[in-house]
C-alpha cells in the first residue's frame, strides 16, 4: 500500500484506505491508475475523490462503487471540451445510473439538445430508474421528443407518468412506442387514455392489443379503448374472450346435443315442433377470430 501512496498520491491513498474491502481497494487502485482518471483536471480528480469518500459511508457502498466504476470507465472521449465539465458533473451527481448516463448524453447530442435540456430531467430520470427500473434512454426519448415540446404536452405526459399507479417501466415503454408509430394527435389521445385506466387489469388488456397492428392502425382504436375503460373489472375476461373469439354454429344430432348441451337442447325443443332425436341442431362454439372485434 505504501507503493500505492507514492504512485497515486496522498489524496487517492486516503480515499482507498476508507474502503475496508480488499477487492474494492484493488478496484480503486486500478481506477486511479487508469487514463480515465489521469486525464482529468485537478478539480475533477478532487470531485471523484470526494464522491468516493461519501460512498464509503453508505449502507450499500459495494453496489454503489461497482455502478460508479461501470460509468467511470465509459467516460466518452468525444465530448466537446465545452460540454465535458457539465456532463462529468452530471455523472458524479447521478452515478447510480452507471454507464447509461452516457447513453443519455449521446442521445441528447444526436437530437441536438442543450445541456439544459439534459440536466433538468436527470433528477426525475434517476428516481424513476431507482424506484421502477425505467429504461433510461427510452425515458429520454420521451422528454426530448420535439412534438411534445412543440405542442406543450411534455409536462402533461411526465406528470401523468409520475401520478400513475401503473408500472412506470411498462407505461414509459408504451408511451415511447405510441409516439414513435402513431401520428402525434392519435398518440396523445391514446396516452391520455392510458392515464385513465381504472385498474391494472384494464391496462393489461389495452397493452395486449395496442401492439397488434390491425388494432393500432385501426380507425376504431379509440372506440376499443373507451369500451375497455367502461367495462367493469369483473367482466374484462368476458370482454377479452368476445374480442378474440366469435360464435359459430356446428350441427349435431339432437340426442347428442341433449347430453352435451342440455340447456341449449331443451330450449331448442321448446321452440321447435316436430323435433326428433336424430334432428340436426346447431350448437354455439367459440372460434378464434381472423380479426379482432372492436
Amino acid at each position: 500500500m505504501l507503493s500505492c501512496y507514492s504512485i497515486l498520491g496522498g489524496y487517492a491513498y486516503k480515499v482507498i484506505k476508507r474502503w475496508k474491502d480488499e477487492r474494492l481497494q484493488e478496484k480503486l487502485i486500478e481506477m486511479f491508475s487508469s487514463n480515465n482518471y489521469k486525464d482529468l483536471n485537478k478539480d475533477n480528480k478532487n470531485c471523484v475523490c470526494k464522491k468516493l469518500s461519501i460512498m464509503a459511508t453508505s449502507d450499500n457502498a459495494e453496489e454503489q462503487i461497482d455502478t460508479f466504476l461501470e460509468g467511470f470507465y465509459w467516460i466518452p472521449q468525444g465530448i466537446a471540451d465545452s460540454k465535458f465539465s457539465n456532463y462529468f458533473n452530471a455523472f458524479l451527481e447521478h452515478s447510480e445510473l452507471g454507464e447509461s448516463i452516457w447513453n443519455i448524453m449521446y442521445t441528447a447530442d444526436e437530437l441536438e439538445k442543450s445541456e439544459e435540456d439534459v440536466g433538468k430531467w436527470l433528477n426525475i430520470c434517476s428516481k424513476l430508474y431507482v424506484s421502477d427500473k425505467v429504461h433510461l434512454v427510452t425515458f429520454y426519448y420521451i422528454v426530448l421528443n420535439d412534438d411534445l415540446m412543440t405542442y406543450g404536452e411534455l409536462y402533461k405526459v411526465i406528470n401523468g407518468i409520475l401520478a400513475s399507479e401503473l408500472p412506470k417501466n411498462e407505461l414509459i415503454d408504451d408511451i415511447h412506442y405510441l409516439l414513435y408509430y402513431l401520428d402525434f394527435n392519435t398518440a396523445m389521445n391514446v396516452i391520455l387514455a392510458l392515464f385513465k385506466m381504472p385498474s391494472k387489469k384494464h391496462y393489461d388488456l389495452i397493452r395486449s392489443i395496442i401492439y397488434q397492428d390491425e388494432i393500432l392502425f385501426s380507425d376504431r382504436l379509440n372506440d376499443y379503448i373507451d369500451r375497455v375503460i367502461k367495462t367493469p373489472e369483473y367482466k374484462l375476461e368476458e370482454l377479452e374472450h368476445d374480442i378474440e373469439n366469435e360464435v359459430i354454429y356446428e350441427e349435431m344430432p339432437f340426442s347428442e346435443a341433449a347430453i352435451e348441451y342440455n340447456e341449449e337442447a331443451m330450449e331448442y325443443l321448446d321452440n321447435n315442433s316436430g323435433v326428433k332425436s336424430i334432428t340436426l341442431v346447431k350448437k354455439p362454439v367459440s372460434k378464434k377470430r381472423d380479426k379482432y372485434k372492436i
Side-chain angles (χ1 to χ4, degrees), residues 46-254:
N46 287 337
C47 288
V48 169
C49 290
K50 289 177 181 177
K51 179 74 175 180
L52 292 171
S53 296
I54 293 171
M55 284 184 185
T57 63
S58 64
D59 293 334
N60 58 338
E62 185 172 347
E63 179 183 346
Q64 284 193 30
I65 189 62
D66 284 338
T67 306
F68 176 88
L69 293 175
E70 172 191 287
F72 186 82
Y73 285 125
W74 275 86
I75 295 176
Q77 301 300 314
I79 296 179
D81 291 341
S82 60
K83 290 185 175 183
F84 184 84
S85 179
N86 284 334
Y87 281 6
F88 188 74
N89 289 335
F91 162 67
L92 291 178
E93 185 177 353
H94 300 284
S95 60
E96 70 274 6
L97 303 183
E99 67 179 271
S100 295
I101 196 168
W102 303 114
N103 291 331
I104 290 171
M105 303 306 181
Y106 280 136
T107 301
D109 284 343
E110 288 174 1
L111 298 175
E112 299 181 349
K113 301 301 179 180
S114 68
E115 295 161 17
E116 182 182 2
D117 288 329
V118 176
K120 68 183 178 181
W121 295 107
L122 271 174
N123 283 332
I124 295 175
C125 184
S126 178
K127 289 176 182 176
L128 288 173
Y129 175 73
V130 171
S131 63
D132 297 273
K133 297 303 178 187
V134 164
H135 191 279
L136 301 170
V137 177
T138 303
F139 176 76
Y140 259 83
Y141 270 119
I142 293 174
V143 300
L144 300 177
N145 182 280
D146 284 329
D147 286 334
L148 286 175
M149 291 183 177
T150 300
Y151 294 106
E153 300 286 5
L154 179 57
Y155 285 95
K156 185 185 295 184
V157 170
I158 298 302
N159 287 335
I161 292 171
L162 295 176
S164 177
E165 295 183 1
L166 298 171
K168 291 178 175 34
N169 56 338
E170 295 180 5
L171 190 56
I172 286 173
D173 285 346
D174 294 342
I175 290 172
H176 173 249
Y177 175 81
L178 294 166
L179 288 170
Y180 185 84
Y181 282 104
L182 296 177
D183 68 86
F184 182 72
N185 288 332
T186 303
M188 278 304 303
N189 286 336
V190 179
I191 290 167
L192 295 178
L194 293 181
F195 296 147
K196 297 177 183 177
M197 290 297 112
S199 72
K200 178 65 165 58
K201 286 186 176 181
H202 287 81
Y203 177 55
D204 288 342
L205 182 50
I206 293 293
R207 289 198 87 213
S208 71
I209 59 91
I210 62 172
Y211 288 90
Q212 303 290 334
D213 287 352
E214 65 185 271
I215 295 292
L216 185 66
F217 302 115
S218 165
D219 58 3
R220 299 189 64 194
L221 174 61
N222 288 325
D223 294 337
Y224 173 83
I225 294 173
D226 287 341
R227 185 179 177 191
V228 172
I229 290 175
K230 293 175 182 177
T231 299
E233 186 172 328
Y234 72 91
K235 287 190 174 182
L236 285 178
E237 289 187 12
E238 180 182 332
L239 173 60
E240 183 176 13
H241 185 272
D242 186 39
I243 291 167
E244 295 182 352
N245 299 278
E246 61 181 334
V247 175
I248 62 172
Y249 289 90
E250 297 178 353
E251 289 188 333
M252 66 186 307
F254 186 85

Side-chain angles (χ1 to χ4, degrees), residues 251-291:
E251 289 188 333
M252 66 186 307
F254 186 85
S255 56
E256 292 180 20
I259 297 172
E260 295 185 32
Y261 299 91
N262 183 264
E263 183 178 343
E264 292 88 344
M266 293 304 102
E267 180 180 347
Y268 189 87
L269 183 62
D270 291 340
N271 292 287
N272 291 272
S273 60
V275 175
K276 298 180 181 180
S277 64
I278 58 172
T279 300
L280 293 179
V281 297
K282 292 182 178 179
K283 64 182 180 68
V285 292
S286 289
K287 176 187 175 184
K288 210 72 173 177
R289 295 183 185 277
D290 293 329
K291 293 183 178 181

